[in-house]
């Protein structure tokens, strides 16, 4: 720690910081542009000048750039010095010489760091009267819009895109006062994190293209704290709503999880919330028999829908419920209470459910901890078994990239260079990196930073992991029959993991291989027994609440279908789950054909919805409250952004758990009582010991600050009195939220001085841009002052270090078969999940479905790139264009996970051995069942 004296006041600060970071962490305002809390200092903009003095007697001092000036004990500085103020005002004036001053039409208006800093410096007169430099803008794809004339040359964009996120197709071109930030030729930005440019850029150069289609100023958006539902990473988001539509999603700061950045699926995949074909009223389907398309659909009111659903379910001899890993804990638990614990299915295919439960057991009992995304960034050796992280958990991949880059920070520290001195650290690092080992069936974008890569079939990847565990601890089961090259790789990986202080092992669900997961567990146990207290094990799941649903318990989807098909049950309630995306259509049809009553609760019109007798319209994450559990076991609550019935009174959308509560009361012929979210969460916490910490970690509905609820809307929110003018000129009362501490209005607390975990939007006086998060943190880039949202449910795995034994079920080496190929599914970031692929911008980034096979296998079959290939697996046949590659091992065929489902339904869940052949009867590029 060090003591600094700022304008006559004394402060204790960290001596490893620079002056800008230290002062901002103290709550002092210094304008800046090029500096960013996650990326450090480069001293490019000169906006953060302060006066620094030699000692208390020095009256002259000297101007220094605070982002490049290290903290020194007993340092004297002045932010308010007249010379420093004049310098900062001059700097922003020359930075804006070529700026178009187009705030009224700029989409960053009211959300702009440049505006904030201009006001902060006092620059309010434009004196430049000459011709401005102008640039031609580029098309950068469906996510990000480009307006280069607003650039102030802070270099943040390329520093994030290239250095932090590893993108290669955005750069700085030119020199002096004619620098251009863009692509060498226009086209879609290739990085999976391109959307972060809209928040990293302090001006309006890079803006959210999806927001442009239905633009609304920030102060006219209603926000709520939420959790991304597009994968299991648990990133915190701030969705903004206007007129009943989600208009944009911004990053919500969580110091333990996503911090400042989101992946593009999470940021731009919200379009399914706004779809016009969503069910908004209860629907009664009229059909002659099950399996036949509905001959008519009758829209109903809530009471009639509940009565009809209850009557239909009462007529069933035995009722079961099918839950969903994309629904909240509260909704799944409410369904479980409705049908009974012994009649509840998780809605997850049997093999995947087995793997989920095994992963949960390993997270608890492997002997090593499950790190947060932030903790992963501090790891110094990483082994990835089977996962293409950029496709299955992109935000996790970004953390792994920072872990690899951390070697430069270590080298800098050895030479006295602080971590915040970004360019110096980068120069020292050169190509030095912490070791990253990737074992995957196909090439990945992380290969470029990997120490070693291995392309192998799933069983061979598992064998590699088991061999590494044995090399770490000879008491672990040995693997026989390894070739010399593999044995050398095993030794190299083991040495790197042993030499590291914080080694990390990553595996997951991508290859649907229990053996790969067990191998990762063995490596983790071996590290624990070698006393690697800082070791970690991260296991990737596919869906937002896969972990929570697995912990809740229940049978598999296969069990539920068998109950229906065998006649052991004939009534079913299906919660937010498209069964046709999980198992082959024939299997679903055979089960539902035997059901006498099918009630579906969902927010999308899916093939499962079309098979319902009665459909009840559920709220999406934006219209509901609930709790999700992320892949690190962190339970986090998401909050309703808006009440859909306020602006669209004709809708009857309700939270799933509210439908289920009312349905149970109607079934039991009881009055429907009011139910509160806090009561539901407490019921979940009381039912299972694993969820015991849940209720006490969430702010209750009665939480108040100075007697006020928390505002969902910025204090400048306008237009409330005309929001429903097309319906009625009389202003109705704003909706009352009994379930949460938030108000559906600007009336309420929206400040930053009172610590709170759940912050709907980033705003502080003078700070309208995302940089306002600085005001909510204990130190800039640290954690929220009230603590980061969520509570971790996995107990300390180190306590079980010596309890668990190694897995000894080692698979045989993979061997290609004549005339058959092993089918594997590869995860897809864009289009690989059930909901975001319904968003048009995501659809624009989805690659056309193709079947990938080794080029030698293709040559033997006479197949060329683009040829239609027939893939036969069990009773499913798909025709897709061929995609060739040398990286995929011979004997394997890869299909794109998720993206085929809208075309041909789910492939057999446990992909196995199938046949392929050139399909001369199909048209090029055709995909069909």
């Amino acid at each position: 720690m060090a003591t600094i004296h700022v304008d006559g006041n004394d402060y204790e600060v960290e001596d490893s910081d620079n002056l800008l970071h230290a002062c901002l962490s103290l709550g002092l305002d210094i304008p800046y542009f090029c500096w960013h809390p996650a990326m450090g200092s480069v001293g490019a903009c000169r906006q953060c000048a302060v006066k620094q003095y030699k000692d208390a007697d020095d009256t002259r001092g000297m101007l220094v750039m605070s982002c490049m000036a290290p903290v020194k004990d007993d340092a004297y500085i002045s932010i308010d010095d007249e010379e420093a103020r004049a310098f900062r005002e001059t700097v922003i004036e020359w930075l804006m010489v070529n700026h178009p001053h187009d705030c009224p039409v700029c989409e960053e208006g009211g959300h702009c760091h440049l505006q904030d800093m201009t006001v902060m410096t006092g620059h309010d007169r434009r004196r430049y009267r000459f011709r401005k430099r102008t640039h031609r803008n580029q098309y950068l794809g469906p996510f990000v819009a480009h307006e280069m004339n607003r650039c102030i040359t802070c270099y943040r964009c390329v520093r994030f895109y290239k250095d932090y996120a590893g993108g290669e197709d955005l750069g700085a071109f030119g020199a002096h006062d004619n620098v251009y930030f863009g692509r060498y030729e226009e086209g879609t930005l290739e990085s999976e994190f391109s959307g972060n440019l809209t928040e990293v850029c302090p001006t309006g150069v890079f803006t959210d293209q999806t927001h442009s289609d239905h633009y609304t100023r920030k102060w006219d958006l209603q926000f709520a704290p939420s959790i991304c539902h597009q994968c299991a990473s648990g990133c915190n988001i701030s969705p903004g709503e206007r007129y009943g539509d989600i208009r944009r999603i911004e990053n919500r700061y969580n110091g333990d999880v996503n911090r400042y950045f989101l992946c593009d699926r999470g940021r731009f995949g919200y379009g399914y919330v706004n779809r016009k074909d969503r069910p908004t009223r209860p629907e009664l389907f009229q059909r002659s028999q099950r399996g036949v398309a509905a001959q008519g659909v009758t829209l109903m009111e809530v009471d009639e829908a509940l009565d009809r659903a209850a009557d239909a379910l009462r007529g069933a001899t035995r009722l079961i419920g099918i839950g969903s890993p994309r629904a909240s804990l509260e909704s799944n638990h409410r369904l479980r209470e409705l049908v009974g614990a012994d009649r509840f299915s998780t809605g997850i295919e049997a093999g995947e459910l087995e793997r989920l439960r095994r992963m949960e057991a390993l997270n608890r009992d492997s002997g090593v901890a499950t790190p947060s995304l932030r903790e992963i960034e501090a790891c110094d050796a990483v082994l990835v078994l089977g996962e293409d992280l950029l496709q299955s958990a992109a935000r996790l991949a970004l953390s792994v990239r920072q872990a690899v880059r951390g070697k430069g920070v270590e080298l800098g520290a050895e030479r006295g260079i602080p971590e915040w001195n970004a360019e110096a650290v980068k120069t020292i690092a050169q190509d030095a990196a912490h070791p990253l080992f990737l074992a995957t069936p196909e090439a990945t974008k992380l290969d470029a930073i990997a120490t070693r890569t291995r392309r192998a079939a799933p069983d061979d990847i598992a064998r590699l992991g088991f061999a590494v565990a044995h090399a770490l601890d000879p008491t672990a089961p040995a693997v026989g029959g390894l070739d010399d090259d593999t044995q050398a790789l095993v030794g190299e990986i083991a040495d790197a993991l042993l030499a590291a202080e914080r080694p990390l092992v990553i595996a997951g669900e991508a290859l649907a291989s229990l053996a790969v997961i067990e191998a990762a567990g063995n490596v983790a146990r071996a590290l624990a027994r070698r006393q690697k207290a800082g070791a970690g094990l991260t296991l990737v799941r596919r869906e937002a609440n896969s972990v929570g649903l697995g912990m809740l318990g229940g049978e598999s989807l296969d069990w539920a279908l068998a109950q229906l098909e065998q006649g052991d049950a004939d009534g079913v309630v299906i919660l937010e789950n498209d069964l046709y995306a999980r198992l082959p259509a024939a299997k679903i049809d055979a089960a539902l054909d035997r059901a006498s009553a099918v009630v579906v609760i969902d927010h999308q019109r899916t093939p499962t919805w079309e098979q319902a007798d009665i459909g009840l319209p559920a709220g999406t994450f934006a219209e509901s409250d609930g709790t999700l559990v992320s892949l690190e076991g962190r339970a986090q609550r998401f909050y309703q952004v808006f009440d859909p019935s306020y602006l669209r009174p004709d809708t009857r959308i309700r939270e799933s758990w509210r439908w289920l509560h009312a349905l149970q009361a109607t079934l039991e012929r009881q009055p429907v009582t009011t139910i509160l979210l806090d009561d539901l969460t407490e019921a979940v916490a009381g039912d299972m010991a694993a969820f015991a910490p849940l209720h006490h970690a969430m702010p209750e509905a009665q939480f108040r600050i100075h007697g006020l609820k928390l505002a969902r809307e910025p204090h400048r929110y306008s237009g409330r009195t005309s929001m429903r003018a097309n319906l009625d000129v009389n202003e109705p009362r704003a909706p009352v939220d009994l379930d949460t501490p938030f108000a559906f209005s600007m009336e309420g607390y929206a400040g930053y001085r009172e610590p709170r975990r759940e912050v709907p939007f980033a705003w502080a006086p003078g700070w309208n841009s995302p940089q306002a998060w600085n005001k909510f943190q204990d130190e800039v880039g640290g954690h929220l002052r009230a603590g980061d949202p969520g509570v971790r449910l996995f107990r300390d795995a180190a306590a079980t270090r010596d309890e668990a034994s190694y897995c000894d079920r080692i698979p045989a080496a993979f061997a290609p078969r004549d005339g058959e190929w092993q089918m594997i599914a590869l995860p897809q970031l864009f289009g690989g999940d059930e909901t975001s692929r319904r968003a048009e911008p995501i659809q624009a980034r989805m690659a056309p479905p193709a079947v990938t096979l080794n080029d030698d296998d293709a040559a033997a079959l006479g197949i060329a790139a683009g040829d239609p290939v027939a893939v036969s697996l069990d009773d499913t046949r798909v025709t897709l264009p061929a995609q060739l590659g040398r990286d995929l091992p011979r004997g394997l065929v890869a299909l794109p996970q998720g993206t085929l489902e809208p075309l041909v339904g789910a492939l057999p869940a446990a992909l196995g051995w199938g046949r392929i052949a050139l399909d001369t009867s199909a048209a090029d590029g055709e995909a069909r069942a």
Side-chain angles (χ1 to χ4, degrees):
M1 298 295 288
T3 300
I4 60 173
H5 314 278
V6 184
D7 290 318
N9 297 307
D10 299 341
Y11 301 98
E12 290 286 327
V13 298
E14 289 287 341
D15 56 8
S16 60
D17 292 339
N18 58 49
L19 286 176
L20 176 61
H21 185 281
C23 290
L24 291 173
S25 296
L26 293 169
L28 306 174
D29 289 345
I30 299 177
Y32 62 89
F33 287 118
C34 65
W35 178 81
H36 189 279
M39 295 185 289
S41 307
V42 291
C45 71
R46 300 292 189 255
Q47 186 60 67
C48 62
V50 298
K51 182 69 74 68
Q52 183 166 13
Y53 302 91
K54 294 179 180 179
D55 51 41
D57 298 324
D58 183 7
T59 58
R60 296 186 62 185
M62 61 181 292
L63 288 175
V64 298
M65 302 307 118
S66 58
C67 75
M68 298 300 293
V71 164
K72 295 181 180 178
D73 192 32
D74 205 31
Y76 287 81
I77 36 176
S78 174
I79 300 171
D80 293 330
D81 175 81
E82 193 61 37
E83 184 181 5
R85 292 169 64 91
F87 183 87
R88 295 195 296 264
E89 184 176 350
T90 302
V91 167
I92 203 165
E93 184 175 23
W94 84 53
L95 288 176
M96 295 187 66
V97 158
N98 288 301
H99 191 281
H101 293 77
D102 59 344
C103 297
V105 298
C106 176
E107 294 186 12
E108 283 294 288
H111 190 217
C112 177
H113 187 63
L114 176 62
Q115 284 182 332
D116 291 345
M117 299 301 97
T118 303
V119 172
M120 190 179 294
T121 57
H123 171 58
D124 59 1
R125 293 292 184 273
R126 181 174 56 179
R127 297 187 294 168
Y128 185 75
R129 293 293 182 266
F130 305 97
R131 185 181 182 89
K132 289 180 178 283
R133 174 211 65 214
T134 57
H135 289 297
R136 176 181 175 275
N137 301 319
Q138 292 181 323
Y139 171 75
L140 298 178
F143 295 160
V144 178
H146 192 224
E147 177 49 79
M148 254 307 295
N149 294 316
R150 299 172 184 150
C151 183
I152 58 170
T153 325
C154 71
Y155 287 89
R156 268 198 194 181
C157 57
V158 292
R159 291 179 58 219
F160 167 77
Y161 196 90
K162 297 177 69 174
D163 297 343
Y164 195 93
E168 298 178 350
D169 60 319
L170 182 78
F173 305 92
H176 306 299
D177 65 343
N178 190 29
V179 179
Y180 188 91
F181 296 93
R183 288 168 53 93
Y184 73 95
E185 63 179 9
E186 72 175 21
T188 300
L189 290 170
E190 296 172 3
S191 172
E192 293 78 8
F193 306 98
S194 64
N196 293 291
L197 293 174
T198 65
E199 293 187 22
V200 166
C201 176
T203 73
V205 175
F206 299 99
T207 53
D208 185 337
Q209 183 67 46
T210 69
H211 187 206
S212 302
D213 298 335
H214 42 205
Y215 181 72
T216 301
R217 294 289 183 195
K218 178 179 179 177
W219 60 73
D220 281 337
L221 291 173
Q222 180 169 245
F223 298 90
S226 194
I227 306 299
C228 180
H229 279 53
Q230 266 52 79
C231 82
S233 296
C235 295
N236 289 207
I237 58 174
S238 289
E241 170 269 343
R242 182 72 166 177
Y243 296 121
D245 287 337
I246 294 298
R247 300 300 177 95
R248 72 179 298 171
I249 283 181
E250 299 174 16
N251 183 75
R252 179 165 68 100
Y253 190 85
N254 184 317
D256 271 337
V257 188
N258 48 292
R259 300 183 71 204
Y260 293 98
F261 306 120
L262 299 173
C263 78
D264 285 352
R265 181 204 274 182
R267 187 181 293 274
F268 301 118
Y270 61 85
Y272 64 93
V273 177
N274 304 335
R275 286 182 66 98
K276 302 307 179 188
D277 62 350
R278 279 184 58 190
T280 59
R281 299 276 297 273
E283 295 180 1
L284 173 65
F285 292 88
Q286 301 160 353
R287 55 171 59 88
S288 58
Q289 63 185 51
R290 180 82 56 205
V292 175
Q295 298 165 336
V297 178
T298 302
L299 300 181
M300 297 181 290
E301 288 299 325
V302 170
D303 289 344
E304 181 188 3
L306 290 170
D307 288 339
R308 283 184 173 272
D311 288 343
L313 295 175
R314 282 194 206 101
T317 56
R318 186 168 184 262
L319 178 63
I320 62 172
I322 299 178
S324 170
R326 64 173 164 90
S328 68
L329 271 181
E330 288 82 0
S331 293
N332 278 294
H333 183 266
R334 203 70 200 78
L335 176 59
R336 187 169 175 261
E337 291 294 293
L338 171 66
V339 300
D342 61 335
R343 301 180 182 184
F344 175 70
S345 162
T346 60
I348 300 173
E349 178 268 328
E352 182 179 353
L353 185 60
E354 179 187 10
R355 293 186 293 274
L356 286 176
R357 289 181 172 154
R358 189 65 193 128
M359 285 190 275
E360 181 195 341
L362 289 173
N363 282 134
R364 294 180 180 280
D365 304 326
S366 66
V368 300
T370 300
S372 67
L373 291 181
R374 186 185 188 126
E375 290 166 340
I376 288 172
E377 295 180 5
C379 292
D380 51 358
V382 182
L383 169 62
V384 180
L385 296 175
E387 289 289 323
D388 182 351
L389 294 177
L390 275 169
Q391 303 300 321
S392 61
R395 187 57 186 80
L396 172 58
L398 190 62
S399 292
V400 168
R401 183 175 291 278
Q402 307 324 306
V404 173
R405 295 175 68 232
K407 183 65 175 179
V409 175
E410 288 187 6
L411 294 174
E414 293 172 1
R415 294 160 176 80
I417 299 172
E419 181 178 357
W420 52 260
N421 196 340
E423 283 302 305
V425 168
K426 181 179 173 183
T427 301
I428 287 291
Q430 296 297 315
D431 294 327
H434 283 313
L436 168 64
F437 300 95
L438 300 176
T440 57
E442 255 281 44
T444 77
K445 284 191 175 182
L446 287 182
D447 289 357
I449 61 170
T451 306
R452 291 283 301 275
T453 62
R454 171 56 61 95
R455 304 281 91 87
D459 284 348
D460 286 343
I461 292 173
R463 286 169 60 83
L464 176 69
F466 283 119
V468 169
H470 177 72
L472 291 168
D473 178 8
T475 66
V479 180
L482 297 179
D483 57 52
D484 292 342
D485 182 57
T486 302
Q487 197 65 58
L489 176 60
V490 166
E492 184 179 351
I493 295 172
D495 290 344
L497 295 178
L498 281 175
E501 293 184 11
R502 296 172 298 278
L504 173 66
V505 184
I506 300 176
E509 173 61 22
L511 297 181
S513 170
L514 184 61
V516 169
I517 294 167
E518 293 285 14
N522 271 20
V523 177
R525 287 194 185 96
L527 289 171
R529 294 186 181 184
R530 293 300 297 267
Q531 305 300 311
K532 287 294 179 182
L537 173 65
T538 295
L539 297 171
V540 179
R541 285 76 160 180
R542 285 201 304 129
E543 296 177 81
N545 206 20
S546 293
V547 177
L549 187 55
M551 295 172 67
L552 188 64
E555 302 290 343
S556 69
L557 176 59
D558 305 67
W559 170 89
L561 298 182
Q563 291 284 300
L564 294 170
E565 192 169 1
Q566 296 165 10
D568 294 330
D570 57 348
V572 59
V573 180
I574 303 173
L575 169 66
E576 295 186 40
N577 200 337
D578 182 11
L579 310 186
Y580 290 89
R582 299 185 183 277
L583 288 172
K587 193 169 184 178
I588 307 297
D589 289 339
L592 295 183
D593 284 350
R594 299 292 303 274
S596 63
V598 178
V599 176
V600 175
I601 304 173
D602 208 340
H603 50 74
Q604 301 297 316
R605 200 173 294 280
T606 68
T608 302
W609 176 276
E610 300 298 334
Q611 292 300 315
D613 293 312
I614 295 173
L616 304 177
T620 63
F621 75 91
E623 300 142 341
S624 305
D625 308 293
T627 305
L628 302 178
V629 184
S630 71
L631 59 84
E632 61 159 312
R634 183 183 299 271
Q636 301 179 100
R637 180 174 283 183
F638 61 94
Y639 294 87
Q640 188 178 25
V641 183
F642 65 99
D643 181 348
S645 63
Y646 181 70
L647 292 170
R648 296 169 180 162
D650 59 317
T651 65
R652 300 295 180 266
I653 293 172
R654 302 288 188 272
E655 298 96 327
S656 294
W657 48 263
R658 206 176 294 278
W659 278 119
L660 289 164
H661 170 72
L663 182 58
Q664 181 169 6
T666 309
L667 266 172
E668 297 172 354
R669 294 187 168 88
Q670 299 294 323
V672 179
T673 58
T674 300
I675 187 171
L676 301 177
L677 179 66
D678 285 341
D679 296 334
L680 286 173
T681 308
E682 189 169 8
V684 176
D687 251 16
M688 306 189 71
F691 293 123
L694 196 61
H695 184 56
H696 303 290
M698 313 294 177
E700 296 184 351
Q702 298 306 312
F703 177 81
R704 298 291 186 273
I705 293 180
H706 303 310
L708 298 173
K709 295 195 81 169
L710 308 178
R712 278 183 170 92
E713 300 166 358
H715 74 284
R716 294 184 295 168
Y717 192 91
S718 63
R720 177 174 159 191
T721 56
S722 62
M723 291 284 283
R724 289 164 44 103
N726 62 319
L727 303 174
D728 192 335
V729 295
N730 298 298
E731 179 190 355
R733 180 186 180 187
V736 178
D737 189 349
L738 300 177
D739 294 302
T740 78
F742 294 94
F744 286 110
S745 72
M746 71 185 87
E747 291 87 6
Y749 185 79
Y752 69 92
R753 296 188 182 278
E754 299 296 333
R756 53 197 171 108
R757 286 186 171 191
E758 308 291 355
V759 184
F761 53 87
W763 177 87
W767 297 82
N768 297 281
S769 77
Q771 298 297 297
W773 286 114
N774 296 347
K775 295 292 185 180
F776 294 87
Q777 298 162 354
D778 53 6
E779 65 168 322
V780 173
H783 301 271
L784 297 183
R785 281 186 284 135
D788 295 314
V791 57
R792 298 173 81 166
L793 302 180
F794 295 153
R795 62 190 172 97
D796 183 9
T800 64
R801 182 169 295 164
D802 297 320
E803 296 178 13
S805 59
Y806 288 111
C807 173
D808 58 3
R809 297 185 298 277
I810 300 174
F814 173 76
R817 298 181 185 177
D818 290 336
E820 285 191 314
W821 285 260
Q822 183 178 356
M823 307 291 175
I824 60 172
L826 297 181
Q828 308 291 312
L829 180 66
F830 299 123
D833 72 304
E834 188 181 337
T835 50
S836 73
R837 66 167 168 254
R838 294 173 176 266
E840 290 183 6
I842 296 294
Q843 291 171 357
R845 285 297 311 273
M846 289 169 58
V851 53
T852 304
L853 64 160
N854 180 278
D855 51 4
D856 291 333
D857 284 342
L861 291 167
I863 295 173
D867 284 348
V869 175
V871 178
S872 301
L873 185 62
D874 294 343
D875 297 327
T876 305
R877 186 173 185 271
V878 182
T879 295
L880 293 170
Q883 181 174 288
L884 310 185
R886 295 183 180 278
D887 292 305
L888 193 70
R890 295 202 66 175
L892 294 185
V893 167
L895 297 167
Q897 189 179 78
T899 57
L900 289 178
E901 292 159 17
L903 298 172
V904 298
L907 292 166
L911 294 180
W913 291 90
R915 304 180 69 84
I916 59 173
L918 182 64
D919 189 350
T920 56
S921 66
D924 287 348
E926 182 182 1
R928 61 180 188 172

